[in-house]
Amino acid sequence: MTAELTRGQNHPLPGARLEIRVSAGTPVVAGATLGDENGTVHGVEGVAHPGAPTLPGLEVSRQAAADHRLAVDLDAMPDTVHRVSVLLALPAGGSGPARFGAVAAPFVAVTGLDGDEVASYTLTGLEAESAVVALELYRRQGAWKVRAVGQGYAGGLAELFADQKLSQAHQLAGSIHEAVASGLARSIPAPPAAAPAHRPDHGATPRTGPGGTGGPVAPTSPYDSQGAPGPGPQTPGAPGQHGAQQPYAGGPDGPIGPGEEPATAGQPSAPAGGRPIDYSHPRRQTAAPPPPPPPPAAPPAAPGQPARPVAGDATGWSMEERLYNQVWGMFEDLARTTAAYRSAVDFADSRMEKELDQALSDPRNRIGGQGDAAREAARGRHAQLVSQAREVLDRDVAQLVAEAEVVEPALPAAFARWDNPVWHAYRVPMEIPMAVRLGDLHLPEADRVRVPMLIRLPLERGLWIDSGRSASLDGSFADSHEMRRLGLETAVAHAARLLAVYPAGEFTVHVIDPAGSGAQALAPLVQSGVLAAPPAQGAAGAADVLARLTQRVDLVQMALRGGAPDALPPGLDTSQQLLIVNDFPHGFDDRAVNQLRYLADEGPAVGVHLMMVADREESAGFGPLLDPLWRSLLRLTPVADDHLADPWVGHAWTYEPPLVPPGSQVLQQVLAQVAAARRSWGR
């Protein structure tokens, strides 16, 4: 389970052979320094950078790139090394940005060689800094840990190295920038990976890239990690490059692409000293596992027409997994084709501006008919380019609409909307599904396509239902009382869905409603009897619930760390726990706020989850104390809002909550079955 770190937090490392993945959205220089127990770097031989990419137990990229993969073998580190600092810097002297405040926040993740994330950190709050120490791996009592640092330096690499007591700081910084400058012209964003097997072509127009062109991209969802970018997020071609994007295989002098091992000329690089890094997969088997069953074949199409889509045409061991992969394949297709359209429009705009500038720069064209003719020709070419891009977008959107029409009715209850007929045949499941639907996503260029927002289970971070005053997409405003009501109704719908998709007795819901203002919205949960106890009211009730859940987190953590998970006290509820907090921060003192932060940070790892219904502005009196709390939660809204940022291609997706249709009794019917199943199991 991934630990999403905030600045200063640390996390133990489970193994010695690791990979550090960097995604910055713009070319950056990645390097690392090897320091002693005080963090002092003893000479330039303790710095890995593009000019000297290999050190004992460490290998970094050889040039600036938007995405990096750094190979680390802690067992190969010399005994004198106690701290490995991972640094990022913007290339100097180029045409790119000169400070991190002008680019998207870099994302750094520590993974095992099997690709599973151990810890991740998003470097927010950078402004004038051009170099930053992102993470540090440090040795403490024989064990290695990772710490989120985020220390920036406005003076660049020279100031960073000087802070680490390196005497040749300025000379080393200059040599690094020289080495980067020689290869910066070859630096491109991370290329698409190999064609995903789970997205077969449906027709005459292959969906292999933006607008049906370019290299195919492997399935990647920004929500698989609950808001955090997945390993190696992809970036489409730069504006103006809306045509076919050539795949880039990387090489000895180029950036390492997704899915590649950090190797030189096809072989692992041997460190300059010490034991060589072992790049073999720790779980590689001698015999390949049997392939998953093939997806259902699409029905034959009429000549000249694209094949009709089929639900479950992705790879997977079960229909649930196939549908999950297919949904995120639709998400990627929509993201790519929209990115291609926007890139083409940007290219057409810049080209028209350039042609108009050239036409008006000649004084002879400023008067008479020649200038008017030049302007009309430029506008005509612009309209033609935009029209061609729109045709490609409309073609791809029509194909996605047809696919959504067959996929939506086939979704299981955990993936389905509340108006799906599958809920009328609902039965309490015997197994936990792989994901749950928390709403729909769409883009303004393709409003007809609604992609289910699926979040993997168990939840890896809490949820924040933002009840702040907001303008909906139709231009109407909701006052604070209406937003609080909608926020709590949305929270109830989410809680009911989580109760419905878990087996009986394996998910428990607690509610804190200090002022009792949410009685009407909470009625479905209270009347059905699915709550662990009546909603806690007042400061005393909130303190009691928080104390019990905090104690549960402490007990489970101690049992797991002590290697005795069976030593928990008798009667301790081992099911997944969800705490719904309404009307925050009313009724919460400083101690209760600290307990909430503790549950948000430590709870998900031991099965305790937080769902806040709150307006951030109302808690402004706590100052920056609550900033880590809001950052640790996935923000959702009770009305449609385009607040979800896509780290893959940079889109702002519009999120729509999964509300129950007006007048429908499906929520009450589902909760009644959940309550009956809990009673039959004695829960």
Side-chain angles (χ1 to χ4, degrees):
M1 185 174 294
T2 306
E4 298 183 9
L5 306 179
T6 59
R7 185 172 182 178
Q9 283 188 321
N10 58 58
H11 187 75
L13 295 175
R17 295 163 54 203
L18 307 167
E19 190 173 67
I20 299 176
R21 302 183 179 185
V22 179
S23 176
T26 189
V28 297
V29 181
T33 60
L34 305 182
D36 58 16
E37 58 271 13
N38 298 319
T40 302
V41 181
H42 298 282
V44 295
E45 61 275 8
V47 182
H49 56 84
T54 58
L55 290 178
L58 180 64
E59 183 173 10
V60 303
S61 303
R62 298 173 180 268
Q63 70 175 41
D67 296 293
H68 293 271
R69 294 190 178 187
L70 284 64
V72 179
D73 189 349
L74 298 175
D75 287 341
M77 292 286 175
D79 294 337
T80 56
V81 174
H82 290 262
R83 190 176 301 179
V84 181
S85 299
V86 179
L87 57 93
L88 306 176
L90 294 170
S95 59
R99 59 187 184 90
F100 278 109
V103 299
F107 173 81
V108 186
V110 180
T111 73
L113 293 186
D114 55 2
D116 291 339
E117 285 191 12
V118 177
S120 63
Y121 175 44
T122 302
L123 284 78
T124 57
L126 298 177
E127 291 295 340
E129 298 86 345
S130 59
V132 60
V133 176
L135 298 174
E136 67 176 12
L137 313 180
Y138 64 98
R139 197 196 312 250
R140 180 68 55 84
Q141 296 179 350
W144 285 90
K145 294 184 178 182
V146 57
R147 177 186 292 119
V149 180
Q151 177 62 52
Y153 298 87
L157 286 174
E159 184 180 354
L160 187 153
F161 291 142
D163 190 43
Q164 295 189 350
K165 308 298 187 300
L166 193 61
S167 58
Q168 307 95 330
H170 290 276
Q171 297 90 327
L172 179 59
S175 64
I176 292 176
H177 288 305
E178 289 178 4
V180 171
S182 63
L184 190 58
R186 302 190 302 272
S187 176
I188 61 174
H198 76 284
R199 300 293 297 155
D201 185 12
H202 284 311
T205 304
R207 279 187 258 129
T208 57
T213 62
V217 180
T220 304
S221 164
Y223 308 104
D224 281 352
S225 297
Q226 317 276 303
Q234 310 288 329
T235 304
Q241 297 174 343
H242 61 285
Q245 183 178 357
Q246 298 297 327
Y248 178 72
D253 298 321
I256 299 172
E260 299 178 346
E261 294 290 348
T264 302
Q267 296 295 332
S269 299
R275 297 191 300 276
I277 301 175
D278 183 7
Y279 289 105
S280 62
H281 198 288
R283 300 179 185 173
R284 186 74 67 199
Q285 300 176 353
T286 56
Q305 298 295 326
R308 288 176 292 175
V310 175
D313 70 342
T315 58
W317 295 99
S318 65
M319 178 57 70
E320 179 189 46
E321 185 177 359
R322 292 176 182 175
L323 289 170
Y324 175 85
N325 291 334
Q326 186 174 12
V327 165
W328 282 118
M330 294 168 58
F331 173 88
E332 293 162 5
D333 289 347
L334 182 57
R336 280 194 296 264
T337 190
T338 305
Y341 171 74
R342 293 179 180 179
S343 178
V345 172
D346 290 342
F347 172 76
D349 292 341
S350 62
R351 177 175 173 177
M352 183 180 67
E353 291 178 2
K354 182 179 179 180
E355 292 177 349
L356 291 176
D357 290 341
Q358 291 176 347
L360 295 177
S361 62
D362 190 348
R364 295 172 298 179
N365 293 336
R366 296 177 185 173
I367 57 176
Q370 293 183 352
D372 294 338
R375 284 189 287 269
E376 289 299 325
R379 295 190 181 100
R381 285 189 289 270
H382 174 271
Q384 182 181 7
L385 288 174
V386 173
S387 176
Q388 291 174 350
R390 188 70 206 189
E391 288 179 3
V392 175
L393 176 66
D394 291 341
R395 179 190 61 200
D396 291 345
V397 168
Q399 187 172 341
L400 285 170
V401 169
E403 188 171 7
E405 289 176 351
V406 299
V407 169
E408 190 69 44
L411 295 177
F415 299 176
R417 291 195 298 254
W418 285 112
D419 58 357
N420 193 308
V422 71
W423 288 107
H424 297 292
Y426 168 77
R427 294 294 182 270
V428 177
M430 299 299 293
E431 295 182 354
I432 301 174
M434 66 183 304
V436 66
R437 185 174 188 161
L438 292 185
D440 291 340
L441 301 171
H442 67 90
L443 293 171
E445 290 87 350
D447 191 64
R448 294 184 298 161
V449 182
R450 296 294 194 273
V451 180
M453 178 180 169
L454 303 181
I455 302 296
R456 295 297 295 264
L457 291 178
L459 297 175
E460 295 183 0
R461 64 190 299 189
L463 304 177
W464 167 29
I465 313 300
D466 189 356
S467 60
R469 184 173 180 179
S470 173
S472 61
L473 295 181
D474 58 5
S476 61
F477 284 84
D479 59 23
S480 58
H481 297 288
E482 180 69 9
M483 287 298 296
R484 290 194 188 99
R485 182 186 65 81
L486 292 175
L488 190 54
E489 289 181 354
T490 303
V492 169
H494 288 316
R497 182 179 291 266
L498 289 168
L499 282 165
V501 302
Y502 271 83
E506 294 193 18
F507 198 86
T508 304
V509 178
H510 310 264
V511 177
I512 293 179
D513 186 20
S517 58
Q520 181 177 358
L522 293 170
L525 298 178
V526 176
Q527 295 174 1
S528 61
V530 296
L531 294 180
Q537 297 183 2
D544 178 66
V545 174
L546 291 173
R548 286 188 284 108
L549 291 179
T550 301
Q551 183 185 38
R552 183 189 184 280
V553 172
D554 291 338
L555 291 173
V556 176
Q557 281 187 340
M558 287 189 293
L560 294 178
R561 291 171 181 172
D566 297 333
L568 293 171
L572 181 71
D573 187 2
T574 57
S575 65
Q576 297 281 311
Q577 308 285 313
L578 175 67
L579 173 61
I580 301 177
V581 179
N582 182 43
D583 213 13
F584 179 83
H586 303 295
F588 287 82
D589 54 16
D590 291 343
R591 176 180 174 81
V593 169
N594 287 328
Q595 288 176 320
L596 278 179
R597 287 186 53 186
Y598 178 73
L599 293 178
D601 292 339
E602 305 293 336
V606 292
V608 177
H609 312 285
L610 194 61
M611 185 184 295
M612 302 277 293
V613 182
D615 179 1
R616 186 170 183 174
E617 293 183 0
E618 293 183 354
S619 60
F622 287 95
L625 176 66
L626 290 180
D627 288 347
L629 174 63
W630 304 123
R631 287 196 300 265
S632 66
L633 304 176
L634 174 62
R635 176 176 176 253
L636 303 176
T637 54
V639 296
D641 188 74
D642 57 351
H643 68 280
L644 285 177
D646 177 6
W648 185 45
V649 290
H651 295 326
W653 291 79
T654 298
Y655 166 79
E656 293 184 355
L659 298 180
V660 180
S664 174
Q665 297 297 314
V666 63
L667 192 67
Q668 289 78 1
Q669 295 171 1
V670 168
L671 290 177
Q673 291 201 36
V674 172
R678 290 169 62 92
R679 288 192 296 269
S680 65
W681 285 82
R683 296 297 184 100

